[in-house]
């Protein structure tokens, strides 16, 4: 049985859980964190994540999933917003979609509150002097403070500073910003509010109120505004002019949006390449066809023999029954036994064995398997058929699924039989590519995680020659710590010994499959490791 607490600290599995929960695709691998409008992409992740990185990753998934679920990207594209309008829309839309996600999944509120506090609620630093920066920070913190009152103090500090150099600005802007809070149910409405904010900002800068009693630049630190040349002979723009310049600012002159800030934080905190980062294989199509008729006959023969020997082994206690006992709850139906000095007149609950196990067969289809791929495919059919007939929830996955000679990325898997699908003979596949065992094992763990069966076994059919043995071994160890059980059948090779000592068998012919499988699983299924 899986260790739920350990699973929720394993980032690759947490990402899978959240992706399924929100109905979005989450991929893991590479060095960048980003969203392409269809899926969330995370960089390679540490196996055991520190608390801060775990919180960042969960918050990033929540944030981007909220956009994928509720942002109308077509409406945004059609709006063709100016850079400042788009920046204001981002602030509003982030708040809107996050609250929509919280309405469906209240547990997200804690993740979002942590993120806002982490990025915006830290120790106050010296307040920026550029009025444009002050205004954008005030807008961001005003919207965010609606959900996290703890950042109100920082917002108020900025507002007080801005009121001194641009008096009356925030008084005019507060009403149009507050309107967002009362009516913003869609991306289109967020766009309308963003435009209204920019329009009001333009009006405010057309008729600015003078700063009372002081030079408008008295509160500046001197020199040119941020990014300026600092030439003392050049006239310094007034605070109101700097605010007005926001209306014509380009995208690269405006602060990053929240998702990009989160993505950079994940990239910055990601482990070094030599720190065994975890990547997860992605699913793609794997071409397959029916096994040769002779192979099907041989598989059926092996399957029948294996089924006969395995029946009753893959079991877990699930069904309750009662029996007579000398203690427990009195059973009136057994009182007649007293006349014969039989003390078993009490009722005691017992157990009756029932099958409660899922098995995932992971078939190595790398180029090194070419001499043995026919045997391996036939063995998969035989094993899966035998397990299916005794009530096991079985699946078969091939790896790698695709091979591009011009690409170094071959971390793919292909579903041949899904959990819950009837086993079929379309298992004839080509052997080509490398052996991304570690990435494939992580994918299988993600795939099996939501299954209802108490026991989850991963059975690998391979020649035992992974691309990255250290990462493969770490994936196996992590699977076992989480509660998965990993076993292997070595096809014509014994290299797998170094990764699964005592949990493997080696075969060279179909005739060896039945005794090898039975010997491998018998000890495991009665609670002992095969030896």
């Amino acid at each position: 049985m899986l260790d739920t607490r350990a699973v929720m600290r394993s980032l690759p599995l947490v990402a899978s859980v959240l992706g399924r929960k929100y109905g979005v695709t989450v991929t893991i691998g590479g060095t960048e964190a980003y969203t392409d409008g269809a899926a969330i992409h995370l960089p390679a992740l540490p196996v055991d994540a520190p608390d801060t990185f775990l919180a960042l990753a969960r918050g990033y998934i929540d944030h981007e999933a909220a956009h994928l679920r509720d942002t109308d990207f077509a409406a945004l594209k059609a709006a063709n917003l100016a850079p400042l309008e788009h920046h204001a829309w981002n602030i509003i839309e982030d708040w809107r979609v996050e609250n929509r996600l919280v309405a469906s999944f209240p547990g997200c509120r804690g993740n979002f509150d942590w993120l806002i506090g982490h990025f915006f609620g830290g120790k106050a630093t010296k307040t920026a002097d550029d009025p444009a920066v002050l205004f954008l920070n005030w807008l961001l913190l005003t919207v965010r403070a609606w959900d996290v009152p703890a950042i109100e103090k920082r917002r108020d500090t900025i507002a007080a500073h801005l009121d001194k150099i641009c008096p009356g600005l925030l008084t005019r802007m507060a009403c149009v910003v507050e309107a967002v809070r009362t009516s913003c149910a869609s991306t289109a409405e967020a766009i309308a509010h963003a435009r209204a904010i920019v329009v009001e900002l333009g009006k405010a800068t057309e008729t600015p109120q003078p700063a009372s009693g002081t030079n408008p630049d008295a509160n500046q630190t001197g020199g040119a505004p941020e990014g300026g040349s600092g030439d003392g002979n050049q006239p310094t723009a007034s605070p109101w002019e700097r605010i007005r310049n926001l209306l014509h600012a380009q995208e690269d002159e405006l602060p990053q949006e929240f998702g990009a800030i989160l993505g950079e934080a994940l990239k910055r905190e990601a482990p070094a390449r030599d720190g065994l980062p975890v990547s997860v294989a992605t699913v793609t199509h794997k071409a397959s066809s029916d096994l040769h008729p002779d192979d099907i006959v041989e598989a059926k023969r092996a399957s029948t023999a294996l089924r006969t020997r395995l029946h009753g082994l893959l079991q877990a206690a699930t069904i309750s029954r009662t029996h007579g006992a000398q203690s427990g709850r009195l059973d009136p139906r057994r009182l007649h036994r007293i006349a014969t000095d039989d003390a078993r007149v009490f009722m005691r609950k017992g157990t009756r064995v029932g099958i409660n196990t899922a098995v995932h067969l992971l078939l190595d289809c790398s180029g090194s398997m070419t001499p043995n791929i026919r045997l391996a495919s036939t063995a998969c059919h035989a094993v899966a058929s035998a397990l299916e007939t005794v009530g096991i929830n079985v699946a078969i996955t091939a790896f790698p699924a695709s091979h591009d000679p011009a690409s170094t990325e071959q971390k793919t898997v292909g579903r041949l039989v899904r959990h819950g699908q009837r086993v079929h003979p379309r298992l004839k596949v080509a052997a080509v590519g490398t052996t991304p065992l570690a990435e494939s094992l992580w994918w299988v763990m993600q795939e099996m995680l939501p299954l209802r069966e108490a026991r989850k076994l991963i059975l690998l059919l391979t020649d035992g020659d992974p691309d990255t043995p250290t990462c493969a071994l770490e994936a196996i160890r992590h699977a076992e710590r989480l509660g998965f059980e990993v076993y292997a059948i070595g096809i014509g090779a014994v290299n797998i010994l170094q990764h699964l000592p005592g949990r493997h068998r080696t075969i060279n012919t179909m005739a060896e499959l039945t005794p090898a499988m039975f010997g491998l699983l018998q000890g495991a299924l009665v609670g002992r490791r095969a030896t």
Side-chain angles (χ1 to χ4, degrees):
M1 186 172 292
L2 298 187
D3 182 341
T4 303
R5 182 173 299 179
V7 167
M8 295 314 295
R9 290 200 62 83
S10 175
L11 260 182
L13 299 189
V14 169
S16 173
V17 169
L18 295 178
R20 282 193 177 92
K21 177 180 176 182
Y22 303 145
V24 300
T25 300
V26 180
T27 66
I28 301 173
T31 60
E32 304 289 336
Y34 63 96
T35 304
D36 58 13
I40 300 170
H41 303 272
L42 296 176
L45 302 174
V47 175
D48 296 306
D51 290 343
T52 298
F53 191 87
L54 181 64
L56 282 173
R58 294 187 64 161
Y60 180 78
I61 293 171
D62 285 356
H63 177 82
E64 296 300 346
H67 279 293
L68 291 180
R69 287 168 57 93
D70 283 303
T71 293
D72 185 345
F73 293 101
L76 176 62
K77 183 177 180 181
N80 193 27
L81 297 176
L84 181 59
E85 291 175 333
H86 193 279
H87 183 77
W89 170 83
N90 251 320
I91 292 173
I92 297 168
E93 185 74 353
D94 283 350
W95 169 80
R96 185 188 74 82
V97 298
E98 287 175 7
N99 277 277
R100 286 289 298 271
L101 192 68
V102 168
S104 298
F105 306 99
C108 299
R109 181 75 273 161
N111 293 341
F112 290 138
D113 289 353
W114 182 89
L115 284 178
I116 295 167
H118 180 73
F119 285 101
F120 309 129
K123 292 183 177 180
T125 56
K126 183 180 182 297
T127 304
D129 292 311
D130 188 340
V133 174
L134 288 173
F135 173 76
L136 294 177
N137 286 342
W138 171 83
L139 177 61
L140 171 64
L141 294 178
T142 295
V143 173
R144 287 304 187 177
W146 293 339
D147 295 320
V148 185
I151 63 175
E152 288 179 350
K153 183 177 180 180
R154 188 174 180 188
R155 177 204 61 193
D156 293 343
T157 300
I158 291 173
H161 191 53
L162 190 55
D163 279 337
K164 292 179 181 179
I165 55 179
C166 293
L169 173 64
L170 298 187
T171 301
R172 295 191 59 165
M173 298 305 302
C175 291
V176 70
V177 173
E178 188 63 26
V180 175
R181 191 176 186 180
T182 58
S183 176
C184 191
S186 67
T187 297
E189 289 190 19
I191 291 170
H193 283 300
R195 283 175 166 159
I197 288 171
V198 173
V199 168
E200 188 63 28
L201 183 66
K203 292 178 180 179
T205 58
E206 287 176 0
T207 56
Q209 298 181 23
S212 57
T214 60
N215 185 324
D217 288 331
N219 289 307
Q220 303 303 309
T221 56
E226 186 176 348
S229 64
D231 187 346
N233 295 322
Q234 295 294 327
T236 301
S238 72
W240 284 103
E241 287 174 338
R242 295 179 188 178
I243 294 287
R244 190 179 302 116
N245 288 340
L246 273 177
L247 301 173
H248 310 290
Q250 298 303 305
E251 183 179 353
D252 59 357
E253 297 175 307
L254 296 169
Q256 287 183 305
E257 53 96 6
F258 191 38
I261 294 173
L262 281 173
E264 285 197 357
L266 277 176
K267 180 181 178 181
R268 186 171 57 250
E269 298 291 337
R273 279 294 173 188
D274 57 357
L276 296 179
V278 171
S279 295
V280 181
T282 56
V283 179
T284 188
H285 175 69
K286 176 68 174 179
S288 63
S289 58
D290 285 345
L291 295 171
H292 190 277
D294 293 343
D295 294 336
I296 294 176
V297 171
E298 190 171 11
K300 286 183 177 179
R301 185 182 303 117
S303 176
T304 301
L306 185 59
R307 180 177 70 246
T308 301
R309 300 186 67 179
L310 284 180
H311 185 70
L313 287 178
L314 288 167
Q315 297 172 334
T318 57
I319 305 174
S320 296
R321 62 184 178 87
T322 60
H323 62 273
Q326 295 183 6
S327 62
R329 183 179 178 182
L330 185 65
D331 186 357
R333 294 172 300 176
R334 294 185 170 89
L335 290 177
H336 65 277
R337 294 182 177 181
I338 297 177
T340 59
D341 293 330
D342 187 344
R344 293 176 298 167
V345 295
F346 298 92
M347 179 171 53
R348 179 175 294 177
K349 288 186 177 181
T351 58
R352 178 177 159 193
V353 291
I355 296 171
N356 193 23
T357 304
V359 175
H360 201 114
L361 304 181
L362 191 55
L363 174 61
D364 182 356
C365 293
S366 61
S368 62
M369 285 284 289
T370 299
N372 301 305
I373 192 61
R374 181 174 179 180
L375 171 62
S377 299
T378 305
C380 267
H381 186 260
V383 172
S385 298
L387 296 178
E388 181 184 53
T389 56
V390 296
I392 303 304
N393 182 3
V394 65
I396 305 173
T397 297
F399 75 99
S402 60
H403 172 62
D404 179 3
S407 173
T408 58
E409 296 293 329
Q410 300 174 37
K411 301 168 184 178
T412 59
V413 293
R415 292 187 176 103
L416 300 180
V417 177
R418 297 170 182 259
H419 282 289
Q421 181 183 4
R422 188 175 180 83
V423 176
H424 54 74
R426 295 187 302 278
L427 302 178
K428 181 180 179 181
V429 293
V432 63
T434 60
T435 314
L437 177 57
E439 296 82 1
S440 301
L441 282 170
W442 278 107
W443 180 86
V444 171
M445 284 186 263
Q446 289 185 343
E447 187 77 356
M448 298 189 78
L449 191 60
L451 298 180
R452 294 183 177 181
E453 285 75 11
R455 302 190 66 186
K456 296 174 174 63
L457 277 64
I458 302 173
L459 179 59
L460 175 65
L461 285 86
T462 181
D463 62 1
D465 193 16
D467 294 342
T468 53
T470 305
C471 290
L473 181 58
E474 182 60 31
I476 291 169
R477 288 174 176 170
H478 201 74
E480 301 241 319
R481 287 199 297 268
L482 294 173
F484 294 91
E485 302 171 47
V486 186
Y487 300 90
I489 293 291
I491 309 293
V494 294
N495 291 347
I496 198 64
L497 279 170
Q498 61 181 312
H499 305 295
L500 293 168
R503 288 170 283 158
H504 78 284
R505 291 290 187 275
T506 302
I507 66 171
N508 293 286
T509 66
M510 279 300 296
E512 299 172 347
L513 177 64
T514 297
M517 278 295 302
F518 187 76
L520 180 66
L521 295 178
Q522 184 177 21
L525 297 174
V526 295
R528 302 187 306 270
R529 294 295 186 202
T531 55

